[in-house]
Amino acid sequence: MPAPPISSRRDFLGAAGAWGASMMAGLASADSVPLAPPDKQPVDVAIPEKPEKTVGWAIVGLGKLALEEILPAFGRSRLSRVTALVSGHPDKAKKVADVYGVPESGIYNYETYDRLADNPDVDAIYIVLPNSMHAEYTIRGFQAKKHVLCEKPMAANVAECEAMIAAGREAERKLMIAYRLRYEPFNKKVIELCRSEELGPIQSFSASNCQVVEAPNIRLSGELAGGPLGDIGVYCLNAARYCLDAEPIEVSAFAHQPETDPRFREVPAAVSFAMKFPGGVLATCDCSFNASESRRYRVQCQKGFIDLENAFSYEGQILTVASDKRRAQLQIAPVDHFAAEMDHFSECILGGNEPRTPGEEGLKDMKVMAAIETAAKSGRVERVCS
């Protein structure tokens, strides 16, 4: 039954006295509540449970990315464990194997790579090699009957991408391209905001991904399919596609290859490109191997904008959403990008599902990049092949 209404000062004082007595009683009873957990275990701590099954991974290529980002990520992975290493440097491979508990039988070189077929502890292969080697080692990985996660750009050209996809289908194994940003929460939140159109329809997109690259570096080698477009420009391109949820139909581009800088005798120092999407939405992007660090994009909407600073970095993302009336910086808990992407692929392997970024996703980017390269050479607007 609800309490009767308080209609007078006397009623109010009576009610206040009763409320005070109730509070005193509560305080008295609170004295008996323990201030620390009786068993010294906080009640809100979730005890992790061991998964029924995990996926064994072979890391192919022990360069900077593998050593500094991918291998440490296994310590933050739930469904993924490293069980094999492939390297052309036996001494380095032995040291790394000792650190991560990989048995000597799990160490391979590029000549013995195909013997991964005989290792039941390897379910998936992560290709972390120069771009020119992606297709060969992906296809050989499928021939060894393993699932493959391949770094981006997917390959050196469109034909290689198509061959990789065909090899995966023939082997009945999964192919995923390592678009790690599709598995981390800041970029996922941007996608959610774009799809909801809370700020109105998207009007334009702009992105910049720049850094200074010093020689020697495989990114500066034309023979190894290096260059800023495939290495870092692909981030801008892919972000435009997933923010707009559409495919570009036309591109224009400029490339700068300074004759006075020996670093860029085989690849451009910078590439700027524009993409036209259905409905007339334009995306403008620039990437450079000779400019101070910039890794951001902006989605310009009809009623505001979405900014993501450090959008393409391994950490440090800052997400700002602004409308005509207010601006807010969204607080989101970060994750390890590489652990998230590997666990996604492991989950797909265990559950028989298709990955969020399959080979077809890499092929789409490669077709756009082919059009951008042609446009930079021709000086004309080029259509993107479907």
Side-chain angles (χ1 to χ4, degrees), residues 36 39 66 86 145 210 226 269 278 300 333 347 382:
D39 58 357
V86 181
K145 295 299 181 181
C210 303
Q300 190 71 46
E347 192 173 50
E382 298 288 343

Side-chain angles (χ1 to χ4, degrees), residues 34-51:
L35 298 178
D39 58 357
K40 299 182 180 180
Q41 175 64 41
V43 295
D44 59 346
V45 170
I47 301 174
E49 295 184 5
K50 184 178 180 180

Side-chain angles (χ1 to χ4, degrees), residues 194-212:
C194 290
R195 299 291 184 278
S196 71
E197 293 194 346
E198 292 181 21
L199 297 172
I202 297 172
Q203 302 300 302
S204 65
F205 175 93
S206 60
S208 177
N209 200 359
C210 303
Q211 63 188 68
V212 176

Side-chain angles (χ1 to χ4, degrees), residues 207-213 219 228-229 231-236 269-272 285-297 310-313:
S208 177
N209 200 359
C210 303
Q211 63 188 68
V212 176
V213 176
R219 297 172 174 180
L229 179 60
D231 189 77
I232 55 178
V234 67
Y235 284 94
C236 304
V271 178
S272 294
C285 308
D286 70 276
C287 55
S288 176
F289 278 167
N290 201 31
S292 62
E293 186 170 303
S294 172
R295 308 182 190 278
R296 57 88 190 157
Y297 64 73
N310 301 317
F312 313 126
S313 301

Side-chain angles (χ1 to χ4, degrees), residues 339-356:
E341 75 170 2
M342 287 191 295
D343 271 355
H344 173 80
F345 197 40
S346 292
E347 192 173 50
C348 290
I349 292 169
L350 294 172
N353 304 314
E354 288 305 307
R356 189 176 303 147

